[in-house]
Amino acid sequence: MAADGLPPLRAVIARHGLSARKALGQNFLLDLNLTGRIARASGPLEGATVVEIGPGPGGLTRALLAGGARVVAIERDARCLEALADIAAHWPGRLEVIEGDALEIDASGLVEEPARICANLPYNIGTELLVRWLSPDAWPPWWESLTLMFQREVAERVVAAPGSKAYGRLSVLAQWRAEARLLFPVHPSAFTPPPKVTSAVLRVVPGAMPETALAPASPTDLERVVAAAFSQRRKMLRQSLKGLGLDPARLLELAEIDATRRAETLTIPEFLRLARVWATER
């Protein structure tokens, strides 16, 4: 038995026949010391409400519950439900498992605020979920923090600074009204099966809305402008912004941005200024 009184994860996987499926973006974490570290990185757990996406056999779930949290877990893979039911029975009344696709479920409606999100995200939906959590019209959002596992390359994009090769759409969306920090890397050997890339744990906390982030530009406007700018990141903005449907030269002139610059050189306030101009002119 493990320290929490439940069987080791390898035994759980063997008992329930839980081979990880590539189509579901699954890579199971089996090291309970590591899952405990991730759970603690999300903040004090006693009495906290945590949403977990893709718990699989429940390694991180167990760490969150052992720390004193109440967990709402969204799991698409029906094969995992029996293993999660065993965990729920071990901590009565503290684990709610919802079967379904996290892309189709509004997690904000499942919990009362304040709540946080902590997850070893399935690789195939992680980026899309992050963008959704970063882009609500209302701010601060329903979540008080995100503690997430990504491929390290993706995590580095989230925290990248202007002018760096990793700086892009995720960097702008994460940093314009939140604080993102890369916590620690996770070697492929920690997973079953081991992925071909190193992973990393990332923490995002909502920040105050800066003055430059205020209306009339919305998160949707900002995302559209940023996506267009980085769609051809090696080209000058006067070329890459043509996808916005307006004259890029005029937009850039009104935003007081040199049309010969490239997207990776723009600061977040400059992107916000450009998004407000585009919203006004279109």
Side-chain angles (χ1 to χ4, degrees):
M1 302 296 285
D4 60 9
L6 288 168
L9 285 171
R10 289 190 185 278
V12 173
I13 288 173
R15 176 186 172 190
H16 297 284
L18 299 179
S19 57
R21 289 181 176 173
K22 186 176 181 180
L24 296 177
Q26 291 175 327
N27 295 91
F28 297 148
L29 277 175
L30 301 187
D31 184 342
L32 291 177
N33 290 323
L34 178 58
T35 58
R37 185 182 181 189
I38 296 170
R40 291 190 299 273
S42 71
L45 293 170
E46 188 65 43
T49 299
V50 181
V51 174
E52 183 186 5
I53 309 298
L60 180 56
T61 315
R62 288 164 59 168
L64 292 166
L65 291 166
R70 173 183 174 268
V71 178
V72 177
I74 300 173
E75 178 55 66
R76 179 182 175 187
D77 189 352
R79 300 176 306 151
C80 298
L81 298 182
E82 188 175 344
L84 294 171
D86 291 341
I87 298 173
H90 191 70
W91 279 286
R94 290 180 43 212
L95 172 60
E96 179 182 359
V97 180
I98 297 172
E99 182 182 3
D101 188 338
L103 293 175
E104 299 175 357
I105 295 173
D106 180 8
S108 66
L110 303 177
V111 294
E112 295 183 3
E113 299 182 35
R116 67 185 75 158
I117 301 173
C118 184
N120 169 26
L121 291 175
Y123 282 166
N124 58 350
I125 64 171
T127 300
E128 183 172 351
L129 285 173
L130 177 61
V131 170
R132 291 186 184 186
W133 292 330
L134 292 171
S135 305
D137 288 330
W139 200 264
W142 64 270
W143 48 268
E144 62 180 8
S145 68
L146 308 173
T147 306
L148 307 170
M149 177 92 74
F150 284 102
Q151 297 177 44
R152 184 169 184 168
E153 179 184 347
V154 175
E156 289 175 343
R157 275 189 251 149
V158 174
V159 301
S164 65
K165 291 182 179 179
Y167 183 68
R169 170 173 168 256
L170 285 180
S171 317
V172 176
L173 294 179
Q175 296 174 41
W176 75 293
R177 53 183 183 179
E179 299 175 5
R181 186 161 58 100
L182 199 157
L183 299 182
F184 52 86
V186 179
H187 193 270
S189 61
F191 298 89
T192 296
K196 295 180 180 179
V197 296
T198 298
S199 300
V201 176
L202 179 78
R203 191 159 193 264
V204 181
V205 178
M209 284 279 279
E211 188 67 28
T212 54
L214 299 178
S218 70
T220 303
D221 295 332
L222 177 63
E223 185 176 358
R224 177 73 185 279
V225 168
V226 171
F230 283 104
S231 65
Q232 302 179 72
R233 64 182 298 141
R234 294 186 178 180
K235 294 189 176 181
M236 297 178 185
L237 289 168
R238 65 189 180 195
Q239 177 65 32
S240 63
L241 293 179
K242 287 183 177 180
L244 292 177
L246 297 176
D247 179 14
R250 174 171 171 76
L251 292 176
L252 291 162
E253 180 182 2
L254 291 172
E256 300 179 350
I257 296 171
D258 187 339
T260 65
R261 291 173 64 185
R262 292 176 171 80
E264 65 193 38
T265 70
L266 263 62
T267 64
I268 293 173
E270 286 176 318
F271 269 119
L272 291 166
R273 196 161 68 238
L274 183 58
R276 288 199 299 275
V277 168
W278 179 69
T280 301
E281 291 294 305
R282 76 179 192 275

